Amino acid sequence: MSPGDAGPRAVEDIRRRVAELGPWFHNLDLNGIETAPGHFLGNHPSDKWSRFAHALPDDLNGASVLDIGCNAGFHSFEMKRRGAGRVLGVDHDERYLAQAQFAAEILGFDVTFRQLSVYDVAALGERFDVVVFMGVLYHLRHPLLALDLIHEHVAGDMLLFQTLQRGTDEVHQVKSDYEFSEGEFDAEGYPLAYFVEHAYAGDPSNWWIPNRAGSEAMLRAAGFEIVSRPEPDTFICRRGASPWQGAVYPARGAAR
């Protein structure tokens, strides 16, 4: 359905359904009805998307896409606009999935949505050309496990990754190993993630907030090669070899 197809009754029906499905975190334009016009981040996530969209391929030409933590589907829809073929959005929250399904129907996008935790992506049994993992990492109790599972089971080529970051933007070059008595943990730009015991910004689901070096280190540790950083907290990656494969894993994990 295009914006011009919506008559007065259709607009009121959309407005009513948007209210019923709220509150929304994605501000989508559904035939002139905004789903989150008063968002504290502004026109989110459209404004943020506009700052890094140029770094992604203009034509995805039938590529398969997995949108993990799809919320109301904004990034899934943007992938379809660029010609992606099969697009699957997954989220653990039924309310977000209901929003996404409704938005897809109004906007006329052929996107499949499914309730699934990031920790269960192996159940999909397939790899995708593009994996979108935006705004999820800091909501996870086990963030590195999630990246490992994405690398091992669903990432085929490109990973679009974004996370809330705090602390310095500097990146300290760490050594490959340290003696037990040494370390550079207090160095400016050492990779770290701040642990949130209670809540952050009123949200108790915020658990780990990395600095830039921490984000980059976790991506590399999971086997992703960072291609570019078009935004301070957004990374475009390629799937590389896992550093845990082969002889490295038993040596690293051996009992001491």
Side-chain angles (χ1 to χ4, degrees):
M1 181 185 295
S2 64
D5 296 331
R9 178 62 183 273
V11 169
E12 287 308 310
D13 286 345
I14 294 171
R15 193 189 311 277
R16 173 184 55 79
R17 188 63 176 141
V18 165
E20 290 174 350
L21 291 171
W24 296 63
F25 188 72
H26 284 181
N27 186 36
L28 306 176
D29 184 341
L30 303 182
N31 287 353
I33 306 301
E34 291 186 79
T35 57
H39 202 295
F40 73 99
L41 293 175
N43 186 21
H44 183 80
S46 182
D47 285 348
K48 186 169 186 61
W49 169 262
S50 68
R51 295 194 292 269
F52 66 80
H54 65 278
L56 297 168
D58 290 328
D59 184 2
L60 290 173
N61 190 26
S64 59
V65 177
L66 174 63
D67 184 2
I68 301 174
C70 62
N71 204 281
F74 176 88
H75 297 103
S76 294
F77 304 148
E78 291 300 327
M79 296 294 106
K80 291 298 289 188
R81 287 191 173 101
R82 296 192 177 212
R86 169 167 159 72
V87 177
L88 172 62
V90 300
D91 204 294
H92 78 285
D93 193 315
E94 291 181 339
R95 179 171 58 90
Y96 288 146
L97 293 171
Q99 293 174 354
Q101 188 61 56
F102 174 69
E105 293 170 2
I106 297 300
L107 298 173
F109 287 122
D110 181 16
V111 178
T112 302
F113 295 101
R114 175 175 171 181
Q115 186 175 24
L116 191 75
S117 164
V118 64
Y119 303 121
D120 296 322
V121 292
L124 295 175
E126 62 180 301
R127 291 194 180 274
F128 296 79
D129 299 315
V130 180
V131 174
V132 179
F133 194 45
M134 302 281 292
V136 180
L137 190 85
Y138 49 96
H139 291 302
L140 303 176
R141 287 177 65 96
H142 313 290
L144 189 55
L145 171 61
L147 286 172
D148 284 342
L149 291 170
I150 291 170
H151 180 277
E152 182 67 20
H153 297 289
V154 292
D157 183 18
M158 178 186 294
L159 172 71
L160 173 59
F161 171 84
Q162 183 272 337
T163 184
L164 175 68
Q165 291 179 167
R166 289 294 182 263
T168 181
D169 194 53
E170 298 294 320
V171 176
H172 180 74
Q173 297 301 312
V174 300
K175 297 193 299 186
S176 61
D177 194 9
Y178 292 94
E179 295 296 329
F180 181 78
S181 60
E182 66 175 341
E184 300 172 325
F185 305 112
D186 293 328
E188 182 78 0
Y190 190 88
L192 57 82
Y194 301 97
F195 175 68
V196 180
E197 182 180 0
H198 302 296
Y200 183 80
D203 187 346
S205 76
N206 291 323
W207 288 101
W208 293 96
I209 306 176
N211 61 5
R212 172 190 170 183
S215 294
E216 295 183 358
M218 282 192 286
L219 286 167
R220 289 192 300 269
F224 292 102
E225 301 170 359
I226 298 171
V227 176
S228 65
R229 188 177 70 120
E231 267 256 283
D233 60 1
T234 305
F235 302 82
I236 296 175
C237 308
R238 297 288 185 189
R239 182 182 184 274
S242 171
W244 292 89
Q245 291 177 347
V248 176
Y249 183 84
R252 181 73 180 264
R256 295 182 182 273

